[in-house]
Amino acid sequence: MAAQLPGRALHVAIAIRFLAGITGDSGIILSSSVLQLFHVKRHALYRALSALAKAGLVEVNQQRGRAPRVSVLDVGERAGACTSEEE
């Protein structure tokens, strides 16, 4: 789904999955050093996080002056997710 979203959404989704895999936690903090590794600028990050959140892939907790904390949502937690019976 992230590949179909505009801009750097796929880059940000890959960075989130990368960090979640390393930490073993579905809730991660996207620091500026991580963004540099994936060649994502700050403003592109916020647009990408918005698109990922609207698609129901992540939940974002943003606080002024801090790096956003992102939680990866399971398929069952996504808004509007369909079950195999609905397909």
Side-chain angles (χ1 to χ4, degrees):
M1 284 182 71
Q4 297 173 359
L5 298 175
R8 295 279 182 172
L10 180 59
H11 291 78
V12 173
I14 291 170
I16 292 167
R17 282 294 186 179
F18 172 75
L19 288 174
I22 287 176
T23 63
D25 189 7
S26 64
I28 54 103
I29 295 175
L30 286 172
S31 66
S32 59
S33 59
V34 171
L35 297 176
Q36 288 177 352
L37 289 174
F38 290 91
H39 302 283
V40 176
K41 299 205 186 276
R42 187 180 58 154
H43 295 292
L45 168 71
Y46 294 119
R47 288 190 300 270
L49 286 177
S50 176
L52 291 167
K54 285 180 185 176
L57 299 174
V58 298
E59 184 176 278
V60 182
N61 182 0
Q62 295 181 11
Q63 294 180 356
R64 187 179 177 112
R66 295 190 176 220
R69 180 167 181 78
V70 180
S71 298
V72 178
L73 297 179
D74 291 331
V75 174
E77 295 175 342
R78 291 195 308 215
C82 37
T83 63
S84 59
E85 296 174 10
E86 294 175 342
E87 292 178 4

